[in-house]
Amino acid sequence: MTQHFTTKTNGYTLYLAQKSDKKAIMRFYKNQHYSASFMGYDHCYLLKDNNDDIIASVIVSTLTERNTQALLHALVVKADHQGLGLAKTLLEHCIRQHATIVCFAAPNLKTLYTKVGLSMLPDNQIEQHLNEVLSCRYRSYQKQQPLLNAFITC
């Protein structure tokens, strides 16, 4: 059962997923051809339509119990619902819920992330601004995706 937030956006309802939603969430990602995983100390936010179908999802993970920086990942909107501002809605909600949001994204997503208030970190400032867990994770991902960018809330 999902916990209901009071947020309604363009006929969609925002939920904080519960453990019982995990199978439906993983099925959503699989159907979107996206490989997502829960990393520990996760919050998953969902947008559902009036038929109670997941149309967008994002996961925010603190990775360790005392980590003050939360990694935002697995932001996916169903193809037939893209362009409606749903990713922006999820991002804005996550920023309100978590003190510091960090995400890693391809260059073509820079506009989306900066529009909602995240700042792109120059590559030479990664270790200065990200804690050790996240800076190591970023450097590991960057080996596979050299153009990867890191973003953080201001």
Side-chain angles (χ1 to χ4, degrees):
M1 182 71 61
T2 47
Q3 179 182 343
H4 193 74
F5 285 102
T6 57
T7 305
K8 282 275 217 188
T9 304
N10 300 329
Y12 306 111
T13 307
L14 179 63
Y15 294 89
L16 171 61
Q18 304 299 302
K19 285 186 182 196
S20 59
D21 296 313
K22 189 173 182 179
K23 284 183 182 178
I25 294 164
M26 296 313 290
R27 190 170 36 254
F28 166 77
Y29 284 118
K30 184 178 180 182
N31 290 340
Q32 303 313 306
H33 308 287
Y34 189 89
S35 177
S37 61
F38 291 98
M39 300 178 165
Y41 304 100
D42 302 302
H43 292 86
C44 182
Y45 302 99
L46 310 171
L47 281 173
K48 292 185 173 185
D49 63 15
N50 292 331
N51 296 324
D52 206 34
D53 292 326
I54 299 172
I55 56 159
S57 180
V58 65
I59 302 172
V60 179
S61 304
T62 55
L63 304 175
T64 62
E65 189 175 2
R66 299 198 197 303
N67 192 352
T68 58
Q69 295 180 335
L71 178 63
L72 184 140
H73 58 104
L75 174 60
V76 175
V77 177
K78 282 180 73 172
D80 58 345
H81 287 81
Q82 292 177 0
L84 302 175
L86 301 178
K88 182 177 181 250
T89 297
L90 283 172
L91 287 169
E92 288 171 343
H93 180 77
C94 292
I95 290 168
R96 286 191 303 272
Q97 298 300 311
H98 301 274
T100 304
I101 294 282
V102 172
C103 70
F104 311 139
N108 63 320
L109 295 172
K110 178 182 177 183
T111 301
L112 171 65
Y113 289 115
T114 55
K115 241 183 202 177
V116 296
L118 277 75
S119 297
M120 190 170 83
L121 291 173
D123 194 64
N124 64 353
Q125 294 183 14
I126 297 299
E127 285 73 18
Q128 178 183 344
H129 290 282
L130 301 185
N131 63 38
E132 185 178 355
V133 171
L134 289 175
S135 63
C136 287
R137 187 172 290 266
Y138 174 76
R139 293 298 182 203
S140 172
Y141 293 165
Q142 192 182 40
K143 288 176 185 172
Q144 301 299 316
Q145 302 172 58
L147 298 178
L148 193 67
N149 294 307
F151 297 86
I152 191 167
T153 49
C154 305

